[in-house]
Amino acid sequence: MEKLTNKSVAVDRSPMTFGERIYVPAIMKGLSITVGHIFKKKATVKYPEQKRPFSPVFRGLHILNRDEEGRERCTACGLCALACPAEAITMEAAERKPGEEHMYREEKYAAKYEINMLRCIFCGYCEEACPKDAIYLSETLMPTHYERKTMIYKKQDLLIPHPKKQEGQ
Amino acid sequence: MLLLQIDTAIILEKLILASVILLGSLGIAMYATWGERKVAAIMQDRIGPNRAGPLGLLQPLADGGKLFFKEEIIPDSATKFLFILGPALAMLTACMTSAVIPWGPDYVTESGHVVALQVADVNIGILYIFGVVSVGVYGMMLGGWASNNKFSLLSSIRAAAQAVSYELAFGISLVALLMMTGSLSMRDIVEQQHGFWADGYFTWNFFKQPLGFFIFLVCSFAELNRAPFDLAEAESELNMGYHLEYSSMKLGFYLFAEYINLFISSAVLATLYFGGYNFPFMDAVAAAVGPLLFTIISVLVLLTKVIGFILFFMFVRWTLPRFRYDQLMKLGWKSLIPLALFNMLLTGGLILWVFK
């Protein structure tokens, strides 16, 4: 058969020479390689003390955003839930009552907003779908939990801290 | 009672010496496990244990503590007595070998009392080591067989066959050495290697028996069941080896006995071939410093050699891949034994006709 590339190398099946059969030179060569590694730079990152930077497109835990005055941006339009390929997001909408203007930015808000982190695949489609810049994927790593039910993140778990209240504290 | 008139001081002295050596070898074996992990890590460009204490120095204690608190499992179908005897035997024989190794020169106190840094100066010291090491194989065999598990059984068969095959070349390579020294006593052999240079040649046996040393070294690897001859623990073929069914401290004993054996083997290698506690210019050093300091220096010299050998064993382990079983047997029977026989004949001929 004609060779397609010149990359193939014929396997050398000739019997081993005496030098190869006594094996000691090969051991010495191997030892020189491994001993040489004593002086090489270590590849280890000492994790909790030393962290590698995330890539700019890293997608971590979700946050629900607030505006500058601390009002929730989410209007419970449901586009994120629709975009979610893992069907991890559920929400219930509610109408904003008079006097609640300082809490919610629009007339409609999410009374209940849950993300099932067991289902979520961190694809970031919710972030792309959101017309109100309400949901973002942060750089926080997903923590582990002991129970399934605590893996379902409620609105309180997702909302970022209130900017005004935090200043007051 | 005239017959039992033994100096109690001697008993006390030997008792202290024995416990120091036992504890010392346990301690060194403990840190050999740490060292092995560090060496492995460094050779693979990693850092190794570094969380438990500074530099991970408390790691052996953490490992030991973990093993103590593990559940003790004895399989239903196991032969209980032998199952427990196995690790006990392995540990016992590993600890027993250190008795005949001379750890340092005699220390003469000011009152003229001689303290020998050797638990027992048996005149057949080497034979004693060989005997005890052979019994150590029973530890593996019993453990593997009593587990009533096919993998364990296969592994212990491998270990036993390997140990028996390599003991032949081991013994023959030693015969050549013994023809030269004319004594089986470890102390005599060390005394003959006094200093480093005498009568126009090196005194250490390594320079007189390089081939014998090489065979002895290769056989030590096999006797220790260490890579590249760790066929008994080939994970890919036998899961874990003869201690597959063991848990908790019984497993710990097996693993630990291996490291004590490593230490003792290194000590034997250093004693037989690398001059034991002898070092160059030792007479000048002995004249310059007091007897106590000289003894301490000698012991440290021996320990340095031993640690050097342990490191060599580790370097080789993390360098070479495992042999195939037929290759192992071929190397043992077809290469090492003829080589050892040749070495014996050569030595005999040289002693008979050249160095009369």
Side-chain angles (χ1 to χ4, degrees):
Chain A
M1 206 175 84
E2 197 188 332
K3 277 184 188 172
L4 294 173
T5 62
N6 56 357
K7 284 177 185 170
S8 60
V9 179
V11 179
D12 183 14
R13 297 216 184 270
S14 57
M16 285 197 285
T17 60
F18 180 73
E20 284 167 341
R21 261 188 297 134
I22 58 169
Y23 198 47
V24 177
I27 294 176
M28 289 302 149
K29 197 177 157 198
L31 273 175
S32 70
I33 291 171
T34 43
V35 171
H37 273 264
I38 293 172
F39 309 106
K40 289 242 170 86
K41 195 175 162 281
K42 308 283 170 258
T44 312
V45 178
K46 294 183 182 172
Y47 169 61
E49 294 98 43
Q50 218 182 343
K51 282 176 186 159
R52 284 200 299 184
F54 287 129
S55 94
V57 293
F58 181 83
R59 299 188 294 263
L61 212 55
H62 312 70
I63 52 162
L64 276 178
N65 221 354
R66 294 176 190 269
D67 68 359
E68 309 78 51
E69 290 158 50
R71 297 177 299 188
E72 289 172 24
R73 299 189 83 121
C74 179
T75 63
C77 63
L79 282 175
C80 50
L82 199 69
C84 185
E87 299 188 353
I89 305 177
T90 48
M91 67 185 73
E92 267 169 32
E95 202 176 335
R96 184 178 70 183
K97 305 264 175 354
E100 284 180 339
E101 284 89 352
H102 65 288
M103 288 169 73
Y104 310 109
R105 208 165 78 122
E106 318 265 337
E107 290 89 40
K108 193 171 138 231
Y109 70 95
K112 202 176 115 187
Y113 192 94
E114 289 179 1
I115 301 180
N116 188 341
M117 292 299 177
L118 289 167
R119 302 197 65 142
C120 179
I121 56 170
F122 298 93
C123 61
Y125 282 4
C126 45
E127 182 181 351
E128 277 174 38
C130 187
K132 297 286 181 190
D133 285 350
I135 190 161
Y136 278 100
L137 268 64
S138 65
E139 287 204 338
T140 316
L141 286 170
M142 177 66 211
T144 47
H145 292 258
Y146 285 104
E147 283 170 74
R148 276 173 170 268
K149 65 180 176 199
T150 52
M151 291 292 283
I152 298 167
Y153 276 43
K154 307 284 185 303
K155 199 169 84 173
Q156 280 67 37
D157 307 319
L158 296 164
L159 268 175
I160 60 167
H162 196 290
K164 291 278 169 62
K165 276 181 189 167
Q166 223 179 13
E167 277 166 29
Q169 275 170 357
Chain B
M1 287 289 280
L2 256 171
L3 277 176
L4 284 175
Q5 220 166 31
I6 308 169
D7 195 357
T8 41
I10 291 246
I11 294 180
L12 202 66
E13 181 194 307
K14 292 291 182 196
L15 210 62
I16 292 170
L17 189 66
S19 30
V20 166
I21 288 172
L22 191 62
L23 288 178
S25 52
L26 289 180
I28 288 182
M30 236 165 85
Y31 278 93
T33 62
W34 171 82
E36 175 110 75
R37 293 169 68 173
K38 274 284 185 199
V39 166
I42 287 166
M43 297 202 143
Q44 296 163 359
D45 294 343
R46 294 184 284 116
I47 291 174
N50 67 340
R51 294 286 141 172
L55 289 171
L57 278 173
L58 298 178
Q59 191 69 39
L61 294 176
D63 286 342
K66 187 203 86 172
L67 279 171
F68 261 117
F69 288 111
K70 288 263 175 173
E71 191 187 348
E72 191 92 52
I73 299 167
I74 298 181
D76 260 354
S77 52
T79 316
K80 284 208 178 53
F81 177 67
L82 295 180
F83 190 80
I84 296 166
L85 187 67
L89 210 56
M91 193 70 176
L92 181 75
T93 52
C95 291
M96 266 166 69
T97 30
S98 58
V100 292
I101 292 167
W103 297 100
D106 287 341
Y107 168 55
V108 185
T109 53
E110 276 164 32
S111 58
H113 182 62
V114 178
V115 183
L117 288 182
Q118 184 182 16
V119 177
D121 185 10
V122 192
N123 58 2
I124 48 160
I126 297 177
L127 276 189
Y128 169 83
I129 289 183
F130 264 67
V132 172
V133 166
S134 311
V135 175
V137 178
Y138 277 96
M140 291 185 265
M141 278 168 70
L142 289 180
W145 180 73
S147 306
N148 203 4
N149 176 311
K150 283 169 197 153
F151 289 120
S152 305
L153 182 62
L154 274 172
S155 158
S156 61
I157 289 171
R158 275 186 176 193
Q162 178 183 331
V164 170
S165 316
Y166 276 75
E167 226 152 71
L168 275 173
F170 210 29
I172 296 170
S173 70
L174 206 59
V175 166
L177 180 74
L178 297 178
M179 286 198 294
M180 253 174 44
T181 59
S183 168
L184 281 159
S185 156
M186 299 286 268
R187 165 133 314 213
D188 286 353
I189 292 172
V190 175
E191 295 288 324
Q192 282 171 8
Q193 305 178 57
H194 186 81
F196 188 64
W197 186 273
D199 304 332
Y201 199 64
F202 301 101
T203 53
W204 292 3
N205 284 334
F206 167 70
F207 300 104
K208 297 174 182 167
Q209 281 281 336
L211 186 60
F213 168 74
F214 176 71
I215 298 165
F216 196 88
L217 185 69
V218 175
C219 293
S220 305
F221 276 104
E223 287 288 310
L224 284 170
N225 271 322
R226 269 182 87 77
F229 302 125
D230 57 344
L231 273 291
E233 284 165 45
E235 300 90 1
S236 48
E237 301 150 32
L238 297 165
N239 289 339
M240 208 173 131
Y242 50 88
H243 42 57
L244 173 64
E245 296 284 357
Y246 283 90
S247 65
S248 187
M249 214 49 205
K250 288 210 280 291
L251 172 69
F253 269 21
Y254 267 129
L255 302 179
F256 207 58
E258 218 164 273
Y259 282 95
I260 300 176
N261 279 330
L262 173 68
F263 169 59
I264 299 297
S265 283
S266 305
V268 170
L269 271 165
T271 307
L272 292 183
Y273 288 96
F274 272 80
Y277 49 76
N278 295 305
F279 55 95
F281 311 116
M282 63 188 296
D283 291 323
V285 174
V289 300
L292 183 64
L293 189 60
F294 176 66
T295 309
I296 293 172
I297 291 174
S298 302
V299 173
L300 287 181
V301 164
L302 177 61
L303 284 181
T304 315
K305 289 175 189 174
V306 168
I307 289 168
F309 271 113
I310 292 178
L311 282 177
F312 178 71
F313 275 114
M314 287 175 181
F315 287 162
V316 170
R317 171 169 178 185
W318 295 102
T319 301
L320 297 182
R322 189 179 289 132
F323 273 68
R324 221 166 50 212
Y325 202 69
D326 62 312
Q327 290 171 334
L328 175 91
M329 284 295 159
K330 203 171 150 191
L331 180 70
W333 288 97
K334 286 187 175 171
S335 307
L336 287 180
I337 291 177
L339 211 59
L341 281 171
F342 167 72
N343 186 42
M344 187 174 78
L345 283 176
L346 188 71
T347 314
L350 285 176
I351 290 172
L352 259 183
W353 293 305
V354 183
F355 305 106
K356 277 180 194 164

